Amino acid sequence: MKDLDRIIAERRSVRSFDIHRQMTEKEAEILLSELAGAESPFGGKVTIELKKFDLKGPFKPSTYGTINGASWYFLMGTDGSEASQLTLGFRMEQIVLKAASMGLGTCWIAGTFKGTTFANACAFPPDTPLKAVMPVGYPTEKMSLKERLMRAAVGSARRKPMADLFIVDLASKYYQPLEMMRLAPSSTNSQPWRALVDGDTVYFYYENKSAASILDLGIGLSHFYLAAKEQGIEGQLSMCEDAPAHPKWIPLVKFQ
Protein backbone atom coordinates (compact mmCIF):
# COMPACT_ATOMS: atom_id res chain seq x y z
CA MET A 1 0.00 0.00 0.00
CA LYS A 2 1.45 3.33 -1.08
CA ASP A 3 2.41 5.69 1.78
CA LEU A 4 1.63 3.02 4.36
CA ASP A 5 3.53 4.68 7.21
CA ARG A 6 1.71 7.97 6.63
CA ILE A 7 -1.68 6.26 6.43
CA ILE A 8 -1.04 4.41 9.70
CA ALA A 9 0.21 7.56 11.42
CA GLU A 10 -2.75 9.66 10.29
CA ARG A 11 -5.52 7.07 10.78
CA ARG A 12 -7.87 7.65 13.68
CA SER A 13 -11.05 6.00 14.87
CA VAL A 14 -14.05 7.95 13.55
CA ARG A 15 -17.36 8.13 15.41
CA SER A 16 -19.09 11.06 13.66
CA PHE A 17 -19.95 10.53 9.99
CA ASP A 18 -21.24 12.96 7.38
CA ILE A 19 -24.89 12.07 6.75
CA HIS A 20 -24.86 14.19 3.59
CA ARG A 21 -21.92 12.32 2.03
CA GLN A 22 -22.34 8.59 2.37
CA MET A 23 -19.96 6.00 0.97
CA THR A 24 -20.94 5.02 -2.57
CA GLU A 25 -21.71 1.55 -3.92
CA LYS A 26 -18.54 1.76 -6.02
CA GLU A 27 -16.43 2.52 -2.95
CA ALA A 28 -18.11 -0.37 -1.15
CA GLU A 29 -17.14 -2.66 -4.04
CA ILE A 30 -13.51 -1.54 -3.73
CA LEU A 31 -13.46 -2.41 -0.02
CA LEU A 32 -15.12 -5.79 -0.64
CA SER A 33 -12.54 -6.54 -3.33
CA GLU A 34 -9.78 -5.65 -0.88
CA LEU A 35 -11.39 -7.90 1.72
CA ALA A 36 -11.50 -10.80 -0.74
CA GLY A 37 -7.74 -10.48 -1.21
CA ALA A 38 -6.90 -9.97 2.47
CA GLU A 39 -5.51 -13.28 3.62
CA SER A 40 -4.56 -14.48 7.09
CA PRO A 41 -2.06 -17.17 8.14
CA PHE A 42 -4.01 -18.09 11.28
CA GLY A 43 -7.12 -19.88 10.02
CA GLY A 44 -10.28 -20.18 12.09
CA LYS A 45 -13.83 -19.44 10.99
CA VAL A 46 -14.93 -15.86 10.37
CA THR A 47 -17.95 -14.29 8.69
CA ILE A 48 -17.76 -10.71 7.40
CA GLU A 49 -20.64 -8.85 5.74
CA LEU A 50 -20.97 -5.26 4.54
CA LYS A 51 -24.46 -3.87 5.06
CA LYS A 52 -26.05 -0.53 4.16
CA PHE A 53 -28.78 0.49 6.58
CA ASP A 54 -31.68 2.79 5.87
CA LEU A 55 -31.37 5.17 8.80
CA LYS A 56 -35.09 5.92 8.45
CA GLY A 57 -36.07 2.26 8.14
CA PRO A 58 -37.16 -0.37 10.71
CA PHE A 59 -33.67 -1.79 11.36
CA LYS A 60 -31.65 1.15 12.61
CA PRO A 61 -28.11 0.26 13.73
CA SER A 62 -27.81 0.88 17.47
CA THR A 63 -24.44 1.68 19.01
CA TYR A 64 -25.87 3.28 22.14
CA GLY A 65 -25.00 6.72 20.84
CA THR A 66 -21.30 6.07 20.25
CA ILE A 67 -21.63 6.34 16.44
CA ASN A 68 -23.51 9.05 14.57
CA GLY A 69 -24.42 9.40 10.90
CA ALA A 70 -23.10 6.08 9.52
CA SER A 71 -25.31 3.98 7.25
CA TRP A 72 -22.66 1.46 6.09
CA TYR A 73 -21.37 -1.13 8.57
CA PHE A 74 -19.12 -4.16 8.40
CA LEU A 75 -20.64 -6.95 10.53
CA MET A 76 -18.13 -9.50 11.81
CA GLY A 77 -18.47 -12.90 13.43
CA THR A 78 -16.03 -15.57 14.63
CA ASP A 79 -16.19 -19.06 16.10
CA GLY A 80 -14.49 -17.65 19.22
CA SER A 81 -11.18 -19.50 18.79
CA GLU A 82 -7.84 -17.72 19.18
CA ALA A 83 -7.10 -18.36 15.50
CA SER A 84 -10.37 -16.83 14.29
CA GLN A 85 -9.99 -13.76 16.50
CA LEU A 86 -6.49 -13.19 15.13
CA THR A 87 -7.75 -13.70 11.58
CA LEU A 88 -10.61 -11.24 12.00
CA GLY A 89 -8.32 -8.53 13.34
CA PHE A 90 -5.59 -9.26 10.79
CA ARG A 91 -7.87 -9.21 7.74
CA MET A 92 -10.19 -6.38 8.71
CA GLU A 93 -7.42 -3.99 9.72
CA GLN A 94 -6.20 -4.23 6.12
CA ILE A 95 -9.63 -2.91 5.14
CA VAL A 96 -9.37 -0.15 7.74
CA LEU A 97 -6.11 1.02 6.17
CA LYS A 98 -7.50 0.74 2.64
CA ALA A 99 -10.50 2.81 3.70
CA ALA A 100 -8.18 5.40 5.25
CA SER A 101 -6.24 5.64 1.98
CA MET A 102 -9.56 6.45 0.26
CA GLY A 103 -10.42 9.21 2.72
CA LEU A 104 -12.95 7.05 4.57
CA GLY A 105 -13.18 6.67 8.33
CA THR A 106 -13.84 3.56 10.41
CA CYS A 107 -14.13 2.52 14.04
CA TRP A 108 -13.78 -0.94 15.58
CA ILE A 109 -16.72 -1.66 17.94
CA ALA A 110 -16.61 -4.90 19.91
CA GLY A 111 -18.80 -3.99 22.87
CA THR A 112 -20.97 -0.90 22.56
CA PHE A 113 -23.51 -2.10 20.01
CA LYS A 114 -26.94 -3.72 20.22
CA GLY A 115 -26.45 -7.06 18.52
CA THR A 116 -30.08 -7.66 17.61
CA THR A 117 -30.37 -4.49 15.54
CA PHE A 118 -27.52 -5.75 13.37
CA ALA A 119 -28.21 -9.50 13.46
CA ASN A 120 -31.87 -8.99 12.49
CA ALA A 121 -30.80 -7.16 9.36
CA CYS A 122 -28.16 -9.70 8.32
CA ALA A 123 -28.43 -13.33 9.46
CA PHE A 124 -25.19 -14.85 10.72
CA PRO A 125 -24.45 -18.60 10.74
CA PRO A 126 -24.62 -20.14 14.23
CA ASP A 127 -20.98 -21.26 14.12
CA THR A 128 -19.74 -17.66 13.69
CA PRO A 129 -22.02 -15.40 15.76
CA LEU A 130 -21.75 -11.63 15.48
CA LYS A 131 -18.85 -10.33 17.60
CA ALA A 132 -18.01 -6.86 16.28
CA VAL A 133 -19.24 -4.13 13.96
CA MET A 134 -17.47 -1.35 12.12
CA PRO A 135 -19.04 1.79 10.62
CA VAL A 136 -17.41 3.09 7.47
CA GLY A 137 -17.97 6.38 5.69
CA TYR A 138 -16.83 9.96 5.37
CA PRO A 139 -15.98 11.72 8.64
CA THR A 140 -17.60 15.02 9.52
CA GLU A 141 -15.33 18.02 8.98
CA LYS A 142 -15.22 18.60 12.73
CA MET A 143 -15.52 16.09 15.53
CA SER A 144 -18.61 16.49 17.67
CA LEU A 145 -18.25 17.39 21.34
CA LYS A 146 -19.39 13.87 22.25
CA GLU A 147 -16.68 12.34 20.04
CA ARG A 148 -14.00 14.59 21.52
CA LEU A 149 -15.08 13.61 25.02
CA MET A 150 -15.07 9.90 24.13
CA ARG A 151 -11.60 10.14 22.61
CA ALA A 152 -10.36 11.89 25.73
CA ALA A 153 -11.98 9.30 28.00
CA VAL A 154 -10.27 6.33 26.32
CA GLY A 155 -7.02 8.17 25.60
CA SER A 156 -7.30 7.68 21.84
CA ALA A 157 -4.52 10.14 21.07
CA ARG A 158 -2.11 8.59 23.57
CA ARG A 159 0.10 5.59 22.97
CA LYS A 160 2.45 3.80 25.32
CA PRO A 161 6.15 4.28 24.46
CA MET A 162 7.98 1.53 22.58
CA ALA A 163 9.92 0.47 25.67
CA ASP A 164 6.70 -0.37 27.51
CA LEU A 165 5.49 -2.67 24.75
CA PHE A 166 8.45 -4.27 22.99
CA ILE A 167 11.89 -5.65 23.73
CA VAL A 168 13.75 -4.48 20.63
CA ASP A 169 16.99 -2.69 19.85
CA LEU A 170 16.74 0.66 18.07
CA ALA A 171 19.03 -0.67 15.34
CA SER A 172 16.84 -3.73 14.65
CA LYS A 173 15.22 -4.02 11.23
CA TYR A 174 12.01 -4.77 13.11
CA TYR A 175 11.96 -1.48 15.00
CA GLN A 176 9.93 0.45 12.40
CA PRO A 177 7.35 -2.33 11.81
CA LEU A 178 6.88 -2.53 15.58
CA GLU A 179 6.45 1.25 15.69
CA MET A 180 3.63 0.84 13.15
CA MET A 181 2.14 -1.86 15.40
CA ARG A 182 2.29 0.57 18.32
CA LEU A 183 0.00 2.94 16.40
CA ALA A 184 -2.72 0.34 15.77
CA PRO A 185 -6.21 0.78 17.26
CA SER A 186 -7.33 -1.38 20.19
CA SER A 187 -10.28 -1.74 22.53
CA THR A 188 -10.40 1.35 24.81
CA ASN A 189 -6.83 2.03 23.60
CA SER A 190 -5.63 -0.84 25.83
CA GLN A 191 -2.66 -1.67 23.52
CA PRO A 192 -2.37 -5.29 24.71
CA TRP A 193 0.26 -6.39 22.18
CA ARG A 194 3.81 -7.17 23.29
CA ALA A 195 6.87 -8.42 21.41
CA LEU A 196 10.35 -9.78 21.97
CA VAL A 197 12.90 -9.61 19.15
CA ASP A 198 15.44 -12.43 19.20
CA GLY A 199 17.71 -12.29 16.15
CA ASP A 200 15.57 -12.87 13.05
CA THR A 201 12.56 -14.00 15.07
CA VAL A 202 9.92 -11.81 16.66
CA TYR A 203 7.81 -13.41 19.38
CA PHE A 204 4.43 -11.80 19.90
CA TYR A 205 2.54 -11.88 23.17
CA TYR A 206 -0.49 -10.13 24.63
CA GLU A 207 -1.63 -8.96 28.02
CA ASN A 208 -5.21 -9.91 28.84
CA LYS A 209 -6.65 -6.41 29.04
CA SER A 210 -10.17 -7.21 27.81
CA ALA A 211 -12.30 -9.77 25.96
CA ALA A 212 -11.01 -8.21 22.72
CA SER A 213 -7.28 -8.53 23.48
CA ILE A 214 -6.60 -11.36 21.01
CA LEU A 215 -8.62 -9.57 18.33
CA ASP A 216 -6.54 -6.47 19.11
CA LEU A 217 -3.35 -8.51 18.71
CA GLY A 218 -4.55 -9.52 15.22
CA ILE A 219 -5.11 -5.85 14.40
CA GLY A 220 -1.61 -4.92 15.56
CA LEU A 221 -0.05 -7.85 13.72
CA SER A 222 -1.61 -6.58 10.50
CA HIS A 223 0.23 -3.27 10.93
CA PHE A 224 3.50 -5.08 11.71
CA TYR A 225 3.25 -7.48 8.80
CA LEU A 226 2.30 -4.87 6.20
CA ALA A 227 5.06 -2.51 7.39
CA ALA A 228 7.66 -5.29 7.33
CA LYS A 229 6.58 -6.29 3.82
CA GLU A 230 6.78 -2.64 2.72
CA GLN A 231 10.42 -2.60 3.86
CA GLY A 232 11.24 -5.82 2.01
CA ILE A 233 11.49 -7.95 5.14
CA GLU A 234 10.57 -11.52 4.24
CA GLY A 235 9.02 -13.81 6.81
CA GLN A 236 5.95 -15.69 7.94
CA LEU A 237 3.57 -15.38 10.87
CA SER A 238 2.47 -18.52 12.67
CA MET A 239 0.95 -19.64 15.93
CA CYS A 240 3.72 -20.10 18.47
CA GLU A 241 4.32 -22.63 21.25
CA ASP A 242 8.06 -22.12 21.83
CA ALA A 243 8.29 -18.44 22.83
CA PRO A 244 10.55 -17.49 25.74
CA ALA A 245 8.53 -17.33 28.95
CA HIS A 246 7.55 -13.96 30.40
CA PRO A 247 5.97 -13.39 33.82
CA LYS A 248 3.16 -11.15 32.51
CA TRP A 249 2.92 -11.71 28.76
CA ILE A 250 0.96 -14.54 27.11
CA PRO A 251 2.72 -15.94 24.00
CA LEU A 252 0.69 -16.61 20.89
CA VAL A 253 2.41 -15.80 17.56
CA LYS A 254 5.87 -15.53 16.03
CA PHE A 255 7.31 -13.97 12.88
CA GLN A 256 10.27 -15.78 11.36
Side-chain angles (χ1 to χ4, degrees):
M1 188 180 298
K2 188 178 180 180
D3 299 326
L4 177 66
D5 287 9
R6 178 186 58 79
I7 292 167
I8 288 176
E10 294 179 356
R11 182 218 57 84
R12 67 174 177 86
S13 296
V14 173
R15 297 174 178 85
S16 298
F17 294 84
D18 189 343
I19 60 174
H20 302 296
R21 189 189 180 194
Q22 297 290 335
M23 182 174 72
T24 66
E25 296 283 349
K26 179 62 177 177
E27 289 166 331
E29 290 175 6
I30 292 172
L31 293 183
L32 288 173
S33 177
E34 188 78 9
L35 176 62
E39 299 181 349
S40 165
F42 304 114
K45 291 183 179 180
V46 301
T47 299
I48 303 171
E49 302 284 349
L50 178 58
K51 172 73 176 179
K52 184 179 183 181
F53 289 83
D54 179 357
L55 298 183
K56 297 180 180 180
F59 297 115
K60 297 181 180 66
S62 174
T63 59
Y64 301 108
T66 60
I67 302 298
N68 294 302
S71 60
W72 287 95
Y73 282 81
F74 279 102
L75 313 182
M76 300 167 277
T78 78
D79 63 11
S81 66
E82 291 179 342
S84 67
Q85 292 176 72
L86 288 170
T87 285
L88 179 58
F90 191 82
R91 291 184 65 200
M92 276 305 301
E93 186 61 14
Q94 295 175 57
I95 310 311
V96 167
L97 297 176
K98 178 62 176 180
S101 75
M102 296 164 61
L104 298 165
T106 57
C107 184
W108 280 94
I109 305 176
T112 53
F113 69 94
K114 188 175 181 181
T116 54
T117 64
F118 291 95
N120 288 344
C122 191
F124 266 60
D127 60 344
T128 55
L130 185 66
K131 298 291 187 181
V133 301
M134 178 187 292
V136 55
Y138 284 95
T140 55
E141 288 189 12
K142 295 182 179 180
M143 283 188 284
S144 67
L145 175 60
K146 180 187 291 186
E147 183 168 12
R148 293 198 301 271
L149 290 173
M150 288 185 64
R151 286 178 60 83
V154 301
S156 296
R158 298 189 299 272
R159 291 289 190 276
K160 291 183 175 67
M162 291 283 286
D164 287 0
L165 302 173
F166 312 126
I167 301 174
V168 57
D169 189 274
L170 181 61
S172 171
K173 63 183 178 181
Y174 295 121
Y175 191 91
Q176 181 64 10
L178 287 172
E179 167 65 11
M180 295 299 98
M181 186 179 198
R182 187 181 74 89
L183 298 178
S186 58
S187 177
T188 63
N189 199 30
S190 57
Q191 304 162 74
W193 40 76
R194 303 291 183 267
L196 165 65
V197 177
D198 183 10
D200 284 332
T201 303
V202 186
Y203 295 100
F204 291 98
Y205 308 71
Y206 70 97
E207 287 195 355
N208 194 16
K209 302 280 189 177
S210 74
S213 289
I214 297 177
L215 171 66
D216 289 340
L217 177 59
I219 293 170
L221 286 169
S222 191
H223 280 216
F224 171 87
Y225 184 78
L226 292 172
K229 186 176 180 180
E230 185 86 354
Q231 293 187 25
I233 301 173
E234 298 293 334
Q236 293 184 336
L237 289 164
S238 62
M239 302 295 281
C240 176
E241 297 180 354
D242 59 350
H246 190 280
K248 295 182 179 180
W249 302 354
I250 305 169
L252 199 56
V253 173
K254 68 180 176 181
F255 178 85
Q256 195 171 36

